[in-house]
Amino acid sequence: MEKTLSRKQRISPYLLVLLSFLGVIFIGSFLLSLPISHTSGQWGKYIDSLYIATSATCVTGFDCYTGGIGTELTLFGQIIMAVMIQIGGLGFITVFVFFVTLFRRKLSFRDRAFISVAVSSDSVADVSKFVKKLFLVTIFIELIGMGLGIPAYMTVLDTPEAIWASLFMSISAFNNAGFDVFGSGSFLRDGSATIAALPDWAYYYVQSYMIVLIILGGISFLVIFEVFSFKKKPNQWRAFTKICLSTTGVIIIAGTLSLILTEGALNDWNMNPFQAFFQTVSSRTAGFMDYDPYSLTVAGRIIVCVIMFIGGSPLGTAGGVKTTTIFIIMLTIYCYIRGRKVSAFKRYYSQNMIVKAMAVFITSIIIFVIFFMHINIIISQLYLLS
């Protein structure tokens, strides 16, 4: 007798991951449209709620509210935003599995195989332990970030507001989301009264520890687990860890020096070295600003776009085509010119891995070009109508 597959078995794991994100977005958009979510006490426009929920879940940081979520949304609305950012950064499946396994429910092999796809893990057997570890490390880092930020925010906010602002900013920074609760100007001095009132030491202190949170969130949990386990010396780390660390380091150094040159030395030092460093780290996918993007030169905008396109590392909270993709492509080009096999860190890379990297890169370029043209056409038409 032929067995019929259940609906769950027929649906691709990749499709289930996509559907889970869509579910979070639509639930979040409904909650954000409620009167309790808005300081005005009225129902919010659903299209705005849908947009901001999508932006939070996909951790892009785009804000459609004129005064920012800090002035438009109540504490309830901001909590909903923080939850969606957390789910978006870690993935709905990761959060769900943590709570399922927390209550000792056993996962079937099929469930573990599906979850391994969702969290990009090669190990099916240890996936539940990996998810628990990933979730707990995230909470630990974010709580540390909150603790670091409270003294700075208490210089301009009441204690309860300072605690919440510090927690929200820690979640937003670690998940590379780019949202803040101060206004529409992020860390621009004239962006909000809160940021403008911060003493200089607090202003640079907050940005400094947030740089660390952004890098930790985008560097990959696999790298964090290996580096901070202290079980291996650096020369014994896996090739994946070395690739993520070296590529991230090169991008940050090259991006900082490039912005210092284009926005500093060649532009009357409108951007100082610290701003160049912060913008390079933040631009990789976090989206916080301490420099007016409209003041960037054409060269500076291109640099920032390249940094954003690359993004972070696999199995991290950052987006982009990933550092490993760019590393494989650049390594392939270098080895092809030298007439050598594609190898680095005592490892050879297969043709299949090279093709995957090229496919991700080219597909991303095509999507970027298509949407760039469509957005440009829409903006041009709106400009003509106005």
Side-chain angles (χ1 to χ4, degrees):
M1 182 177 179
E2 186 178 352
K3 295 182 179 180
T4 58
L5 294 175
S6 67
R7 180 172 297 180
K8 181 179 177 182
Q9 292 172 330
R10 289 198 302 266
I11 299 177
S12 166
Y14 299 100
L15 179 58
L16 284 174
V17 172
L18 175 61
L19 292 176
S20 69
F21 269 87
L22 291 176
V24 172
I25 289 171
F26 285 113
I27 293 173
S29 64
F30 170 74
L31 294 175
L32 288 177
S33 66
L34 296 174
I36 193 176
S37 295
H38 295 269
T39 53
S40 64
Q42 298 178 349
W43 284 86
K45 292 182 179 179
Y46 182 72
I47 187 63
D48 290 341
S49 300
L50 180 61
Y51 181 90
I52 205 76
T54 304
S55 183
T57 307
C58 297
V59 289
T60 58
F62 291 118
D63 193 342
C64 61
Y65 299 127
T66 304
I69 64 172
T71 56
E72 176 67 27
L73 299 180
T74 60
L75 178 61
F76 175 81
Q78 292 175 25
I79 291 174
I80 297 300
M81 286 287 294
V83 171
M84 286 191 294
I85 289 170
Q86 189 72 83
I87 292 175
L90 294 180
F92 172 76
I93 303 301
T94 302
V95 178
F96 175 74
V97 170
F98 171 78
F99 286 105
V100 168
T101 56
L102 188 66
F103 294 101
R104 305 297 181 184
R105 177 186 168 186
K106 292 184 178 180
L107 299 173
S108 67
F109 178 82
R110 187 179 299 278
D111 290 333
R112 282 183 279 128
F114 160 62
I115 295 163
S116 67
V117 171
V119 300
S120 302
S121 173
D122 295 327
S123 175
V124 176
D126 299 327
V127 68
S128 59
K129 292 181 180 179
F130 176 78
V131 167
K132 281 184 181 179
K133 189 176 180 181
L134 184 152
F135 190 88
L136 292 174
V137 166
T138 296
I139 299 302
F140 177 73
I141 293 175
E142 289 174 351
L143 289 177
I144 290 179
M146 180 188 73
L148 290 173
I150 290 174
Y153 292 121
M154 284 184 66
T155 60
V156 293
L157 298 172
D158 295 335
T159 300
E161 293 177 335
I163 293 173
W164 169 245
S166 186
L167 175 59
F168 186 94
M169 295 303 290
S170 179
I171 293 173
S172 185
F174 183 75
N175 289 284
N176 283 242
F179 284 101
D180 66 87
V181 291
F182 306 124
S184 58
S186 194
F187 284 100
L188 294 174
R189 276 296 199 180
D190 57 354
S192 71
T194 301
I195 296 300
L198 282 175
D200 286 343
W201 73 265
Y203 180 70
Y204 290 107
Y205 166 73
V206 168
Q207 290 185 78
S208 297
Y209 82 78
M210 288 189 68
I211 286 173
V212 177
L213 289 175
I214 293 168
I215 293 176
L216 286 175
I219 199 66
S220 176
F221 287 102
L222 293 176
V223 174
I224 293 175
F225 295 159
E226 183 162 56
V227 171
F228 290 98
S229 66
F230 302 108
K231 294 180 180 179
K232 298 179 182 178
K233 297 178 180 179
N235 62 347
Q236 297 175 322
W237 289 342
R238 291 174 297 179
F240 175 82
T241 298
K242 294 177 181 178
I243 289 172
C244 292
L245 290 174
S246 60
T247 308
T248 298
V250 169
I251 292 171
I252 291 175
I253 293 172
T256 301
L257 293 176
S258 298
L259 288 179
I260 289 176
L261 177 64
T262 61
E263 311 307 309
L266 300 180
N267 197 25
D268 296 327
W269 292 104
N270 288 337
M271 177 183 284
N272 62 49
F274 183 82
Q275 286 177 312
F277 179 46
F278 182 83
Q279 287 305 139
T280 298
V281 173
S282 181
S283 295
R284 292 182 63 217
T285 61
F288 296 108
M289 300 177 295
D290 70 344
Y291 184 82
D292 186 0
Y294 294 104
S295 299
L296 287 170
T297 62
V298 174
R301 295 180 185 186
I302 293 174
I303 292 168
V304 169
C305 285
V306 171
I307 295 171
M308 289 191 293
F309 182 77
I310 296 172
S313 301
L315 200 55
T317 60
V321 297
K322 306 303 182 184
T323 54
T324 49
T325 300
I326 298 301
F327 177 86
I328 292 296
I329 292 174
M330 299 307 295
L331 178 65
T332 302
I333 294 173
Y334 172 78
C335 292
Y336 178 79
I337 294 174
R338 297 288 300 273
R340 295 166 43 187
K341 290 184 177 180
V342 182
S343 64
F345 301 116
K346 300 180 180 180
R347 177 182 174 182
Y348 289 99
Y349 299 93
S350 65
Q351 195 74 21
N352 184 45
M353 185 176 293
I354 296 171
V355 170
K356 284 184 178 180
M358 292 291 185
V360 170
F361 182 81
I362 294 173
T363 303
S364 300
I365 291 290
I366 292 172
I367 293 173
F368 166 76
V369 171
I370 291 174
F371 281 93
F372 170 77
M373 290 190 298
H374 281 77
I375 292 173
N376 187 55
I377 292 171
I378 293 171
I379 293 175
S380 298
Q381 292 299 316
L382 291 175
Y383 177 77
L384 291 175
L385 290 174
S386 63

